[in-house]
Amino acid sequence: MRGASLLSLCGLLAGLAGSPAGAADAAPPQAVAPGIYVIPGAPDAPSAANSGRVANSGIIVGQQGVIVIGTGTSAADGERILAVIARLTAKPVLLAINAYAAPEHVLGNGAFARRGIPILAHRETGRYMAAHCAACLGNLKEQVGAAALADTRPQGPDWLIDGATTLVIGGRRLEILHDGPAQQPGSIAVFDPASGVLFAGGLAAFAAVPDTRDADLAGWRKALDKLQALSPSLVVPALGPPGGAARLGETRDYLADLENETRRAQAAGMSLFAASASVTLPRYAEWAMYARNHRRNVHFQFLRQEALDFAP
Amino acid sequence: MPPLPRPSAPPGAPVRRWLAFFAVLAAATWAGSAPAADDDAWPGLRAALFAGRPIAEAAGDTLQLSAPYRAEDPATVPIAIRAGPVAEPGVHVRKIYLVVDRNPSPVGAIFTFTPETGGAAIETRVRIEQYTTVRAIAELSDGRLYMASRFVKASGGCSAPAAKDREAAMKQLGRIKLRIDEPAADGRPNRVQLMISHPNDSGLVMDQATRFHIPPRFIRRIDVTYSGRPIMAADLDFTISENPHFRFDFTPRGDGELKAEAVDSNDARFAAALTVSAGAVLRR
């Protein structure tokens, strides 16, 4: 209950801080390396106050054009990102990337598709979006209101990849990283070797509880190890402010604690309902999205562990 | 195996027909147009299931229904129902009906208990298609009815895509996990867990590859016996979540074989058993 009231207080403060113009523009882009920008999202439950803009979007400006990672949470948000880019550079937007499938990262796709900008994603992410985006748009509408989602329709990727690949585009060489199911079956990260900046997508959340609903925890931990081994100069997570490579350990620790404590509850004979109510992780209680994601994470982890019992 | 005692109905078919009838009736309504928020399906369901019989609101621990007010996942909403001990000697809780008012098929489960069960308590997980009242109605062996209800906020559970890896899931179709807490104490309630690997397809989910709906296929009947004596049975439909899971209390009296049999809507049959011997549980 206290978590919930804190959240609503934060929402209220955010609402007070943002003037109508501010709400339309949201936070200004941050330059994190030459030609690389982050449009920061405020990690919190989607609400009318934040219009669902909870995740970061990345902008990479190459010599011939721009690559965008994360299209925003609505048609309006996608338009806002394109407007931000237009103020930064006159170069055309060549590509948008969906690194993972979550409303705050893909529901702005329509604004890009309308301009004929290709949208790249892992095949599994495309499949996931086809199955979930319509329902997920409905849920988001309930949280942020229909007005914020005007003209927003599910729009899938049109450039599908099946694994890790190197992309040479706009005069930039980008490493698209994928090493099997992780946060989601089609999780990818985008590494820019020239600057050392890593866009970790859904694989990382800093001081924020990630969504583990569709996760393969073992694969996710392996992916985090590999990302850290790249020694990126800066990591841009899906949720929370960019930080150093060592902070990938935060996400890894949360996943380990989630798994261990859920297993302990299960071994003690707890029911699904009891476990999701009682497996709290106070160490992470101050993180953003704790109230929204943690309990649900326990629920899904419990079900995953239970299903393992069927394996021969 | 011997048929379950069904004091109020001949064995087998009628309950199944009821379930099928509700499924069709509700699917027709559901396909036409989503009912408005104040639509109340209960009066019609009540008349069909219980005619004019009085139903008392459960008070105290007569009948407890637990469900989350806001579900973590509409496709796996945990539900726990526990009927308190019946004061009158010789009277037991014979059935528990689980009704999800606004689901495509509202009568999700009808559980049958016997005096051998040693108490009526059941936990499972259900799909919820839209914000709804969930009800548990307990029927005593003397015919009295009690009801407990809760409102649950969840939507899209029946039409949500199921297993992430369907092929792998189908390979282990029908595998059953049956457990009883050890030591299996003689004459004291023990918790039994029964879980069946099954997609429990609702028929409302579109296959994204083919654009066809995946046809319905769900566990429709479960029978649990102890040394051949029925202790719990359930008539079910696709309101029950993927990998149907049940926890219930059972009071064993003496050594015996705990056996679970399940049959799905394609008439595929699955079974598992374990032996209780002097409190120890032997799997085979």
Side-chain angles (χ1 to χ4, degrees):
Chain A
M1 274 290 91
R2 212 177 92 228
S5 54
L6 272 179
L7 268 184
S8 49
L9 181 65
C10 292
L12 186 64
L13 289 177
L16 289 173
S19 64
D25 272 352
Q30 300 168 355
V32 296
I36 301 192
Y37 303 85
V38 173
I39 303 180
D44 198 352
S47 65
N50 62 28
S51 303
R53 290 169 187 160
V54 298
N56 300 317
S57 286
I59 299 168
I60 301 173
V61 182
Q63 280 193 324
Q64 287 98 43
V66 179
I67 299 104
V68 178
I69 300 145
T71 61
T73 196
S74 60
D77 201 22
E79 293 294 342
R80 174 185 68 106
I81 291 167
L82 287 163
V84 166
I85 293 167
R87 284 199 292 273
L88 290 171
T89 175
K91 292 172 185 169
V93 176
L94 302 174
L95 177 69
I97 296 175
N98 290 160
Y100 62 107
E104 66 270 16
H105 187 79
V106 306
L107 285 179
N109 280 2
F112 291 77
R114 196 172 305 138
R115 291 167 171 79
I117 299 166
I119 299 167
L120 179 146
H122 192 281
R123 188 175 304 279
E124 289 293 337
T125 297
R127 199 185 311 225
Y128 189 92
M129 287 166 65
H132 292 271
C133 271
C136 159
L137 179 59
N139 290 340
L140 188 63
K141 227 168 244 180
E142 233 171 73
Q143 294 162 327
V144 307
L149 293 171
D151 298 327
T152 304
R153 275 174 288 278
Q155 166 74 49
D158 51 6
W159 182 352
L160 299 174
I161 57 165
D162 289 296
T165 186
T166 301
L167 214 60
V168 179
I169 188 162
R172 214 105 193 183
R173 183 171 71 87
L174 299 176
E175 298 295 341
I176 310 292
L177 310 168
H178 172 82
D179 193 27
Q183 190 250 345
Q184 289 180 338
S187 297
I188 57 176
V190 181
F191 184 51
D192 175 50
S195 65
V197 174
L198 172 73
F199 292 91
L203 294 169
F206 294 165
V209 175
D211 177 0
T212 69
R213 175 189 178 119
D214 301 288
D216 175 326
L217 292 195
W220 194 344
R221 281 201 293 267
K222 188 177 67 172
L224 287 167
D225 289 342
K226 290 203 167 184
L227 295 184
Q228 203 153 1
L230 293 170
S231 303
S233 59
L234 187 79
V235 179
V236 181
L239 306 171
R247 294 196 65 188
L248 291 167
E250 288 181 17
T251 303
R252 196 172 27 226
D253 287 351
Y254 173 77
L255 299 181
D257 289 349
L258 171 69
E259 188 170 6
N260 293 336
E261 292 304 309
T262 306
R263 184 168 291 140
R264 201 204 299 261
Q266 213 153 29
M270 245 181 230
S271 72
L272 171 65
F273 192 39
S276 57
S278 66
V279 177
T280 56
L281 293 176
R283 182 180 163 195
Y284 308 100
E286 299 301 316
W287 280 12
M289 315 286 251
Y290 181 88
R292 176 177 187 256
N293 286 347
H294 176 66
R295 193 180 161 126
R296 195 172 59 186
N297 286 345
V298 174
H299 178 98
F300 286 108
Q301 185 57 25
F302 191 101
L303 291 175
R304 267 195 296 274
Q305 282 171 195
E306 203 175 63
L308 284 180
D309 280 358
F310 285 130
Chain B
M1 53 165 294
L4 276 164
R6 283 181 180 281
S8 61
V15 173
R16 214 169 297 141
R17 275 208 300 272
W18 270 123
L19 285 170
F21 167 74
F22 282 118
V24 169
L25 181 77
T29 314
W30 183 79
S33 64
D38 57 356
D39 261 15
D40 191 355
W42 175 239
L45 291 167
R46 187 198 191 290
L49 284 171
F50 305 109
R53 295 161 65 188
I55 303 178
E57 281 298 321
D61 67 351
T62 316
L63 181 67
Q64 290 174 334
L65 168 65
S66 309
Y69 174 63
R70 189 179 282 281
E72 304 302 330
D73 172 30
T76 51
V77 181
I79 302 284
I81 306 165
R82 176 174 291 275
V86 182
E88 295 79 358
V91 179
H92 73 280
V93 176
R94 186 164 65 191
K95 282 184 192 299
I96 289 179
Y97 296 76
L98 173 58
V99 177
V100 183
D101 280 13
R102 301 182 69 213
N103 257 13
S105 176
V107 186
I110 303 173
F111 300 102
T112 304
F113 304 93
T114 71
E116 307 267 345
T117 317
I122 188 106
E123 287 182 43
T124 188
R125 296 114 190 217
V126 300
R127 294 174 169 137
I128 291 186
E129 189 58 18
Q130 48 187 331
Y131 288 16
T132 185
T133 299
V134 175
R135 300 166 197 276
I137 300 104
E139 182 180 57
L140 273 50
S141 54
D142 63 7
R144 276 178 295 161
L145 296 166
Y146 289 98
M147 178 165 76
S149 59
R150 281 185 177 272
F151 191 74
V152 177
K153 285 188 167 186
S155 62
C158 297
S159 48
K164 279 144 217 159
D165 186 349
R166 192 170 178 84
E167 258 176 58
M170 291 310 278
K171 270 189 201 138
Q172 53 196 31
L173 179 89
R175 233 172 249 175
I176 294 183
K177 288 282 167 189
L178 183 61
R179 289 211 182 104
I180 183 163
D181 280 359
E182 288 184 78
D186 209 344
R188 193 167 59 73
N190 278 246
R191 188 176 48 221
V192 178
Q193 288 195 61
L194 167 64
M195 183 165 153
I196 307 165
S197 181
H198 200 290
N200 237 37
D201 289 319
S202 66
L204 302 170
V205 178
M206 190 188 282
D207 182 328
Q208 293 304 321
T210 64
R211 312 300 292 174
F212 285 110
H213 280 81
I214 298 166
R217 182 174 182 182
F218 52 88
I219 297 288
R220 61 171 171 82
R221 170 83 182 179
I222 288 172
D223 286 285
V224 183
T225 56
Y226 193 63
S227 297
R229 296 187 302 276
I231 56 170
M232 198 281 282
D235 290 284
L236 305 163
D237 80 357
F238 57 77
T239 277
I240 303 296
S241 304
E242 178 186 7
N243 296 339
H245 183 283
F246 306 92
R247 287 158 66 107
F248 57 95
D249 283 349
F250 164 53
T251 304
R253 302 196 189 280
D255 294 351
E257 185 194 52
L258 183 69
K259 187 172 183 187
E261 295 174 287
V263 54
D264 76 8
S265 51
N266 285 13
D267 285 336
R269 288 172 185 277
F270 317 104
L274 41 84
T275 304
V276 176
S277 173
V281 178
L282 313 170
R283 290 176 177 79
R284 53 176 175 98

